[in-house]
Amino acid sequence: MSAFAPILDPAEIYRKSFAIIQAEADLARFDAGTRSVVVRMIHACGMVDLADDIVVSPGFALAARAALEAGAPVLCDVEMVRHGVISRLMPAGNEVACLLNDPRVREIAARDQTTRSAAQVDLWAERMEGAVIAIGNAPTALFRLLELIDAGAPRPAAIIGVPVGFVGAVESKEALTADPRGVEFLAVKGRRGGSALASSAVNALAGGLEGHG
Amino acid sequence: MSAFAPILDPAEIYRKSFAIIQAEADLARFDAGTRSVVVRMIHACGMVDLADDIVVSPGFALAARAALEAGAPVLCDVEMVRHGVISRLMPAGNEVACLLNDPRVREIAARDQTTRSAAQVDLWAERMEGAVIAIGNAPTALFRLLELIDAGAPRPAAIIGVPVGFVGAVESKEALTADPRGVEFLAVKGRRGGSALASSAVNALAGGLEGHG
């Protein structure tokens, strides 16, 4: 790499990135565990002002970490989120699943006249008790999740609700943060979100939180 | 979905999203083909001001589209990019590849004391002639690509250069846009970028451009 002389050591790239984020982002309102998650999310999107749009319940980071340590599955709305999760970081060999391409999803979507993203959430129910949910793409999946919880579905341990975009994203995240149904949550208010934010939050939880085993 | 009444029809969600983007984003400086790509990238990140940071060569969209129609492979720096690409959109059943987990990559990375992301670029060389390159994560991969082209490697048809982050992302994109080595390119200047932006650009090119077959 003679021409450019960039930093090539992965550990050094991480260390320097996290130092820049700590210096530039306003992280004062977060506890140590949540801060680990927010730093990793900022790292994934390159925007330190993401911190200002984070809405998080006080117990989120420790509850989600405890769930992963207890072997909880991670349920993702799209394959990009699943493939962004670093499986080797998982503390208990946790399952990381996306059911969007399950053959039953098309039938449910046609029956309920909804998106495949929302339809798959019906298939989560049987493993949702105590799970960590990571929604990085589809507002319709987050709406459906809240609806199923209201209808008595098993409660997840934590919801990472960061769908992105122009139709339903803002509203679905407002529905979560205004009434999280007693479930721990982290959301990014506004239009911003995305699969990289969802998987980076999972990776922070899986890799171990600052100030916590 | 009685409680929320969100829009659930996928075609309607797309249509409304693209209408909002067309209304809010400043797209006047782009030709019709490039506009299709930029709209889809904005859709993926939820930020209309992304348009202001796009740096693109005049022939990018048509050259990249023509390459895909001719069967060119798409080479991705990370699995998230590969899994964000919608294969069924590809006009010629094009290969969409990520070689990050190729068993040879660890050896090359150790030998050259570099990242796995950069090491895999050495393995792209044999299929790089006329290919579409999609770098959504690793600045080191973009630096290595430019270095290989300077050393005489086969030229890709187009480079989507949107690595993200705090260490090397800005510099790697400046290296591309300041001297694209005669290769068509699209980049997002600054720290922003990411796998969703890379794969959404590929999906726009694959799905067909506005004002072009």
Side-chain angles (χ1 to χ4, degrees):
Chain A
M1 290 245 174
S2 52
F4 303 111
I7 300 174
L8 295 175
D9 174 34
E12 173 67 5
I13 293 171
Y14 268 108
R15 194 201 60 72
K16 194 166 175 189
S17 296
F18 291 163
I20 293 170
I21 295 165
Q22 299 272 3
E24 291 188 22
D26 185 359
L27 305 169
R29 69 186 170 99
F30 303 115
D31 64 82
T34 303
R35 199 180 305 131
S36 303
V37 177
V38 175
V39 166
R40 191 123 185 174
M41 292 174 75
I42 291 172
H43 179 249
C45 70
M47 297 178 284
V48 295
D49 74 333
L50 190 81
D52 305 332
D53 286 348
I54 299 282
V55 187
V56 59
S57 61
F60 165 78
L62 295 185
R65 172 69 191 173
L68 293 181
E69 286 176 355
V74 178
L75 302 175
C76 309
D77 68 331
V78 289
E79 289 288 341
M80 280 190 86
V81 174
R82 186 170 77 84
H83 285 275
V85 170
I86 305 170
S87 294
R88 67 179 157 73
L89 293 179
M90 287 291 160
N94 310 243
E95 180 191 26
V96 182
C98 171
L99 302 182
L100 190 62
N101 295 316
D102 184 290
R104 294 168 290 177
V105 165
R106 280 192 186 281
E107 291 166 38
I108 298 170
R111 183 194 69 200
D112 294 352
Q113 295 195 289
T114 190
T115 65
R116 291 197 300 128
S117 297
Q120 79 168 312
V121 177
D122 291 40
L123 301 179
W124 290 354
E126 63 194 39
R127 32 190 151 175
M128 210 151 75
E129 179 87 48
V132 173
I133 308 289
I135 296 177
N137 186 279
T140 55
L142 181 51
F143 277 126
R144 184 63 181 154
L145 173 64
L146 297 177
E147 199 170 52
L148 287 175
I149 292 172
D150 286 345
R155 267 164 206 251
I159 298 170
I160 298 161
V162 292
V164 61
F166 298 89
V167 174
V170 170
E171 297 81 358
S172 68
K173 291 181 284 192
E174 282 175 356
L176 169 66
T177 59
D179 176 6
R181 283 81 174 161
V183 179
E184 304 288 351
F185 72 94
L186 181 145
V188 173
K189 66 182 175 187
R191 291 169 168 177
R192 288 193 293 188
S195 45
L197 293 181
S199 40
S200 62
V202 173
N203 290 335
L205 295 163
L209 303 171
E210 188 187 341
H212 176 77
Chain B
M1 290 243 176
S2 53
F4 302 110
I7 300 174
L8 295 174
D9 173 35
E12 174 66 6
I13 293 171
Y14 268 108
R15 195 202 59 74
K16 195 166 173 188
S17 296
F18 291 162
I20 293 171
I21 294 165
Q22 299 272 4
E24 291 189 22
D26 184 0
L27 304 169
R29 69 185 170 99
F30 303 116
D31 64 82
T34 304
R35 198 180 306 130
S36 303
V37 177
V38 175
V39 166
R40 191 123 186 174
M41 293 174 74
I42 291 172
H43 179 249
C45 70
M47 297 178 285
V48 295
D49 74 332
L50 190 80
D52 305 332
D53 287 347
I54 300 282
V55 187
V56 59
S57 60
F60 166 78
L62 295 185
R65 171 69 192 175
L68 292 181
E69 286 176 355
V74 178
L75 303 174
C76 309
D77 67 330
V78 290
E79 288 288 341
M80 281 189 84
V81 174
R82 186 170 76 84
H83 285 275
V85 171
I86 304 171
S87 293
R88 67 179 158 73
L89 293 179
M90 287 293 160
N94 310 245
E95 179 191 28
V96 183
C98 171
L99 302 181
L100 191 61
N101 295 315
D102 184 290
R104 293 168 291 178
V105 166
R106 280 193 187 281
E107 291 166 38
I108 298 169
R111 183 195 69 199
D112 294 351
Q113 295 195 287
T114 189
T115 65
R116 290 196 302 126
S117 296
Q120 80 169 311
V121 178
D122 291 40
L123 300 179
W124 290 354
E126 64 193 40
R127 31 189 152 175
M128 209 151 76
E129 179 86 46
V132 173
I133 308 289
I135 297 178
N137 186 281
T140 54
L142 181 50
F143 278 126
R144 183 62 180 154
L145 173 63
L146 297 177
E147 198 169 54
L148 287 175
I149 292 172
D150 286 345
R155 267 164 205 248
I159 299 170
I160 298 161
V162 293
V164 61
F166 299 89
V167 175
V170 171
E171 296 82 357
S172 68
K173 291 180 284 191
E174 283 175 356
L176 170 65
T177 60
D179 177 5
R181 282 81 175 162
V183 179
E184 303 289 349
F185 72 93
L186 181 145
V188 173
K189 65 183 175 187
R191 290 168 169 178
R192 288 193 293 188
S195 45
L197 293 182
S199 40
S200 62
V202 174
N203 290 335
L205 295 164
L209 302 172
E210 188 187 340
H212 176 75

